Amino acid sequence: LREKVVDGTPCGPDISGVCIQGRCQKTGCDNILGSTAKRDKCGICGGRGESCSKVSGSYNKVGYGYRTAVEIPAGSTRIEVRQTAYNGQKADGNYLAVRNKKGKYFINGGYVIRMAAVEDIDIGGAVLSYSGSDTVEERISIRKRTQEDLIIEVISSEYSPPQIKYSYLAPKSSTQFTSEQSQSGNSRVRTRMLTPQAPTRPTPAAVRTRWYTGSW
């Protein structure tokens, strides 16, 4: 027989309920038995969906190494980020990464790129899911409200433009939406290892010149 957990233990990460005498009893988002309180689209318990606004944008600047695509303020929710490989290729040298302002990477830090999908990464109260890099459309989804600012980055090892689109619900009190927006078990994890040094930029085509003769 399984041992009973302590009364009051949450039933699960996505379940509104607590364990009482070994059984899950439903609660509202306020953790009160019998309550019908729910979280609104902004992630506020008992809210009316009026405390947040949708932010969306894109990023497609060419460069090398780690670069910031968008900074997402604390308290944001329903975060969706997509990177579509250039020209429909499965690997175009551009990959997504997520870190906090302290420099802690949750995925794809240190030039090590995760190839397989992963779900339910705890990032301080919010939950991150990642499609893996071994796909034409790389995707990051973050549900629940973030407790700290998050920075979405693109890692580029080839000179091809990323195709990043993002959207999220941000607190209306926040004025920091984006730093740069486009103007237009013991199982082994498969990873890619990128070279930190920036490759040599392609040499521009030679400039054509023409000589003219005439009087001085």
Side-chain angles (χ1 to χ4, degrees):
L1 296 177
R2 294 182 179 179
E3 294 183 3
K4 293 182 179 179
V5 298
V6 177
D7 286 354
T9 301
C11 296
D14 296 314
I15 301 174
S16 293
V18 294
C19 292
I20 304 293
Q21 295 183 350
R23 293 189 177 185
C24 182
Q25 302 292 331
K26 290 186 178 180
T27 66
C29 58
D30 50 8
N31 293 325
I32 298 176
L33 289 173
S35 171
T36 59
K38 296 181 180 180
R39 295 189 181 277
D40 65 7
K41 66 178 184 179
C42 304
I44 304 298
C45 184
R48 300 172 62 182
E50 299 174 349
S51 62
C52 64
S53 57
K54 186 175 182 178
V55 179
S56 59
S58 59
Y59 183 90
N60 57 8
K61 294 184 178 181
V62 177
Y64 290 118
Y66 283 83
R67 293 169 294 125
T68 297
V70 60
E71 292 186 15
I72 300 178
S76 298
T77 188
R78 298 192 181 185
I79 302 168
E80 296 287 340
V81 185
R82 297 182 182 183
Q83 144 65 14
T84 303
Y86 186 63
N87 284 338
Q89 303 172 16
K90 203 169 187 180
D92 65 348
N94 295 306
Y95 308 98
L96 297 173
V98 183
R99 68 173 175 87
N100 61 17
K101 284 196 168 182
K102 296 179 181 179
K104 177 182 178 180
Y105 279 89
F106 300 106
I107 56 169
N108 296 346
Y111 290 92
V112 179
I113 311 302
R114 185 184 182 96
M115 298 178 68
V118 61
E119 296 184 358
D120 300 337
I121 299 176
D122 186 357
I123 53 174
V127 181
L128 181 151
S129 296
Y130 176 54
S131 66
S133 64
D134 197 24
T135 178
V136 173
E137 183 179 78
E138 191 180 5
R139 182 171 178 173
I140 292 171
S141 297
I142 301 175
R143 60 187 187 274
K144 296 188 177 181
R145 298 183 74 210
T146 59
Q147 303 300 312
E148 60 181 340
D149 295 346
L150 296 178
I151 299 175
I152 308 298
E153 294 184 329
V154 57
I155 318 150
S156 301
S157 62
E158 298 178 15
Y159 202 72
S160 59
Q163 308 290 325
I164 298 173
K165 293 184 178 181
Y166 57 83
S167 65
Y168 57 94
L169 296 177
K172 287 184 177 179
S173 59
S174 173
T175 58
Q176 180 186 11
F177 286 150
T178 178
S179 61
E180 284 187 315
Q181 287 193 11
S182 170
Q183 301 299 318
S184 20
N186 291 331
S187 58
R188 296 185 61 184
V189 177
R190 296 176 63 209
T191 62
R192 288 186 175 92
M193 193 71 185
L194 302 183
T195 304
Q197 294 80 10
T200 303
R201 182 169 178 170
T203 304
V207 178
R208 299 182 61 185
T209 59
R210 181 178 298 176
W211 291 90
Y212 294 90
T213 59
S215 59
W216 290 92

